[in-house]
Amino acid sequence: MNGHESAPGLAADWAWATITNHAEGRHCGGCRGTWCPTAEWALWVVITDRIVPVDRRQLVTVVARQVMLAHWPRTVDGCRPCGLPNCGRIELAGTWLEVVGDDTVPDSVRILRSTPTDEELRRITGMGGPPSTPDP
């Protein structure tokens, strides 16, 4: 019986390879569309393993954004793909992004957070155009 259940090597080495691969826009065998449980595992390993080297923080940030966007709640039932109202993966990614000062949120949420100007509200609603002059 073989003692190895996966490829030989340290988990941290495989995690860094996965982080680098995903940060550079490539995919792995675990990817399922925009969701990758392997990248989530790798993010957890590199964040909890030891201090992330400065020269690798951008790679981790890119993957944390990917995880955040894949798990962002889309319904009252919680995130997709977990379906949990308090998803640990989004909490991990969000904590990393908070630590590095990256306020990444999906565009759909960013739009809801912005406050439209009076002019934009008039354009959107079609109300409150320029005042009309009374007839003489």
Side-chain angles (χ1 to χ4, degrees):
M1 178 169 195
N2 187 352
H4 293 290
E5 291 183 13
S6 64
L10 297 175
D13 293 338
W14 284 102
W16 277 114
T18 301
I19 291 288
T20 302
N21 192 38
H22 282 82
E24 292 176 351
R26 296 187 303 266
H27 299 284
C28 70
C31 290
R32 294 176 176 96
T34 59
W35 172 56
C36 182
T38 306
E40 294 168 4
W41 164 82
L43 183 65
W44 178 82
V45 169
V46 301
I47 289 175
T48 60
D49 181 48
R50 57 183 78 102
I51 296 174
V52 175
V54 173
D55 62 330
R56 292 184 171 186
R57 287 184 181 170
Q58 186 59 33
L59 297 172
V60 176
T61 300
V62 169
V63 174
R65 287 181 194 148
Q66 293 169 353
V67 170
M68 174 77 77
L69 295 175
H71 285 267
W72 194 267
R74 289 171 176 80
T75 67
V76 295
D77 296 330
C79 86
R80 192 187 307 158
C82 293
L84 300 172
N86 55 347
C87 172
R89 291 164 183 91
I90 200 169
E91 289 174 7
L92 178 69
T95 300
W96 173 262
L97 294 172
E98 185 178 333
V99 166
V100 297
D102 186 314
D103 63 347
T104 298
V105 294
D107 288 339
S108 58
V109 175
R110 189 179 321 278
I111 290 168
L112 295 174
R113 285 185 174 176
S114 67
T115 304
T117 64
D118 289 343
E119 184 176 311
E120 289 172 326
L121 285 173
R122 286 186 195 102
R123 183 182 48 77
I124 292 167
T125 62
M127 298 169 61
S132 59
T133 55
D135 291 332

